[in-house]
Amino acid sequence: MTKKLSIFTRIFVATAICLVIGLGATAWALSMVYSRALERNIDNVIESQSDQLIGSILDEDEPEDWSFQNIDPRYQELGSGWYWQITDAEGAPLTTSPSTFGVNLPTLAIPFDDQNRRRADVRDADGILQRVSERKLFTQNGNYRVLVTANWDELNADVSLFRNQTILALSAVGIVLALLAAFVARFSLGPLKELRDEIGRVKNAKSEKIEGDYPSEMSPVKDEINALLSTNKEIVRQAQNHVGNLAHGLKTPLAVLRNEARAKEQIESGMLRTQLQRMEDIVQRYLQRAQMAARSQIQTNYTSLEPALKRLLGAMRKIHHPVEYHWEGTPNGKDISVRMDPGDLDEVLGNVLDNAGKWASGNVTILTSITGDQLEIVVQDDGDGVPQQKLQKIAQRGHRLDENMHGSGLGLDIVKELVQLSAGQVNFECPKDSGLAVCIKLPCRVE
């Protein structure tokens, strides 16, 4: 699945995943740090308040003379969850903070440690989670217990608020970083897009090689592609020359044998002349195929359809008179060019129109339509059609519709090969109410 993703999508998705993981971990770490800081602060407040209370007890002998100072103003707010209380050894309250009015302070069920301290988190009667610290105090005037509490739910609320704000802030940062990553990826991959466009220009015959300046990482790729194009041209040229040399080399011996056969009057000379003619047809056919393949390598011209079709229809109306050729022109009167060399286009349309004229009873219809960047040309005659078994052979490479008739030409198999070399398709159908319909699809552009 990931193989189908573009490089830009891969970079963006990978960056987004890393940002989500990294920023999520950062939010969690910051929340933990903030929570620990608040916890230390609460413990410091509790310890400071407890030390202040103990100091006041030690300064005055009688409880009536005790004077207390609240370290935190929340110890004066009613029901704040921040309370303190001093009791005697039996647990009877001696004095409490102003915030304790009407509140039953929680009690701890755990034992004191060796320093006469105990601490726990418990919920009071109002459901508030509190951190409770209690200390024993032994003086000459008596024994006391000092209990100080802090609202633990406030800490959790502050941590939750901080976490939410942190997530929002980091989400905004993540979005900005993701957009920056997308911009960087797009900017960095710009040369690849330029290279793709240049390859398209070469493919569409607008350029013979890849031009332009590219980053140092891509320059070797550009050079290799240009070298491949040059090598491919040279291979095609050499192959064409070899086939041409073979064809021309065979033409002279074949001509000698044909002349020799004509000079003789033996009965078997007819068979010899037939076989020689077939040999010449084969040589000519494969020479034309080599030339056709050479013309169709990578660089293919665009040829205007209307002038070529009008010219061929004029010739076909004379050759196959009285057969009528009907064509209503290009869709919407547009100037349409197909991705094929002029000679190849004449070869394809000429063979298809000529074949339709041979088999038509009286009419040949040509229909043209555009779908996306594809032009569809349908040539349909009103003849007897083609048997289904033979129709299947037409679509196979190397079979010709009129293989039993004299004067084969290139045939429909060569038409199919020419169209395929131009990135097109050829289909053969036999409608019930008509003869053979040849459907040709070719890349096109509308101007």
Side-chain angles (χ1 to χ4, degrees), residues 270-404:
M271 178 67 68
L272 178 61
R273 285 195 298 271
T274 301
Q275 297 303 316
L276 287 174
Q277 184 62 45
R278 290 188 61 185
M279 292 172 65
E280 285 187 343
D281 290 343
I282 292 172
V283 170
Q284 186 63 24
R285 179 178 176 183
Y286 280 95
L287 177 60
Q288 289 172 325
R289 280 194 175 187
Q291 294 171 343
M292 173 183 63
R295 289 197 304 268
S296 303
Q297 291 295 323
I298 300 179
Q299 300 178 22
T300 305
N301 296 325
Y302 277 83
T303 304
S304 182
L305 174 67
E306 186 170 359
L309 195 50
K310 285 183 176 179
R311 182 177 65 254
L312 290 171
L313 288 176
M316 293 300 163
R317 289 186 177 108
K318 295 178 181 179
I319 295 174
H320 297 290
H321 182 77
V323 174
E324 293 290 335
Y325 285 82
H326 305 279
W327 180 51
E328 297 181 356
T330 57
N332 299 326
K334 297 179 179 178
D335 184 10
I336 302 173
S337 298
V338 295
R339 185 175 178 265
M340 184 174 283
D341 289 339
D344 291 347
L345 183 60
D346 288 346
E347 203 75 69
V348 169
L349 295 179
N351 274 277
V352 174
L353 294 173
D354 181 57
N355 186 76
K358 288 179 181 178
W359 297 99
S361 298
N363 293 282
V364 175
T365 303
I366 301 97
L367 302 175
T368 53
S369 61
I370 298 177
T371 304
D373 61 349
Q374 294 284 319
L375 172 68
E376 183 178 63
I377 305 172
V378 179
V379 179
Q380 183 172 332
D381 62 69
D382 61 350
D384 297 331
V386 180
Q388 187 65 30
Q389 182 178 2
K390 195 169 185 179
L391 182 65
Q392 295 175 354
K393 291 183 179 181
I394 294 177
Q396 297 177 5
R397 182 179 179 88
H399 291 278
R400 292 172 290 176
L401 179 65
D402 55 352
E403 58 185 350
N404 293 323

Side-chain angles (χ1 to χ4, degrees), residues 411-431:
L412 292 180
D413 58 332
I414 303 301
V415 169
K416 178 182 176 182
E417 187 170 355
L418 269 172
V419 173
Q420 289 177 340
L421 288 173
S422 295
Q425 295 179 352
V426 178
N427 294 315
F428 304 94
E429 299 177 359
C430 276

Side-chain angles (χ1 to χ4, degrees), residues 1-10 13:
M1 182 62 180
T2 55
K3 293 182 179 180
K4 297 181 180 179
L5 297 177
S6 64
I7 297 177
F8 172 78
T9 303
R10 294 185 184 190
V13 170

Side-chain angles (χ1 to χ4, degrees), residues 95-286:
T95 183
T96 60
S97 65
S99 60
T100 314
F101 181 80
V103 176
N104 294 322
L105 296 182
T107 58
L108 299 180
I110 60 176
F112 289 91
D113 60 17
D114 54 359
Q115 296 180 353
N116 295 315
R117 296 169 179 261
R118 60 182 178 181
R119 176 184 295 178
D121 297 333
V122 296
R123 291 193 180 275
D124 61 14
D126 296 326
I128 299 176
L129 182 62
Q130 295 180 326
R131 169 155 288 192
V132 182
S133 177
E134 189 174 11
R135 297 169 63 177
K136 285 183 178 180
L137 179 62
F138 303 98
T139 68
Q140 295 177 352
N141 298 320
N143 298 332
Y144 305 99
R145 291 185 182 182
V146 178
L147 183 143
V148 181
T149 71
N151 192 331
W152 195 250
D153 283 341
E154 279 191 7
L155 170 65
N156 293 332
D158 289 342
V159 172
S160 178
L161 178 62
F162 177 82
R163 183 185 297 113
N164 293 336
Q165 292 176 341
T166 302
I167 290 175
L168 288 176
L170 292 180
S171 297
V173 172
I175 293 173
V176 172
L177 291 178
L179 293 176
L180 288 176
F183 171 76
V184 172
R186 183 67 69 185
F187 178 77
S188 301
L189 296 176
L192 282 178
K193 183 178 181 299
E194 294 178 8
L195 181 61
R196 181 193 65 187
D197 294 339
E198 281 296 317
I199 293 176
R201 288 176 57 82
V202 173
K203 182 179 179 181
N204 294 327
K206 296 180 180 179
S207 178
E208 294 185 356
K209 64 179 183 178
I210 297 176
E211 305 288 351
D213 297 326
Y214 293 90
S216 57
E217 295 84 357
M218 292 183 58
S219 292
V221 178
K222 167 194 167 184
D223 296 338
E224 288 296 328
I225 294 177
N226 284 336
L228 181 62
L229 291 172
S230 178
T231 301
N232 185 68
K233 279 186 178 181
E234 181 62 22
I235 291 174
V236 172
R237 187 190 64 80
Q238 291 181 3
Q240 181 183 1
N241 289 341
H242 290 325
V243 174
N245 292 338
L246 175 62
H248 288 296
L250 290 175
K251 276 185 177 181
T252 300
L254 288 174
V256 172
L257 291 174
R258 184 175 61 252
N259 293 334
E260 184 68 18
R262 288 175 179 173
K264 297 182 178 295
E265 297 180 355
Q266 289 86 348
I267 298 177
E268 61 270 21
S269 63
M271 178 67 68
L272 178 61
R273 285 195 298 271
T274 301
Q275 297 303 316
L276 287 174
Q277 184 62 45
R278 290 188 61 185
M279 292 172 65
E280 285 187 343
D281 290 343
I282 292 172
V283 170
Q284 186 63 24
R285 179 178 176 183
Y286 280 95

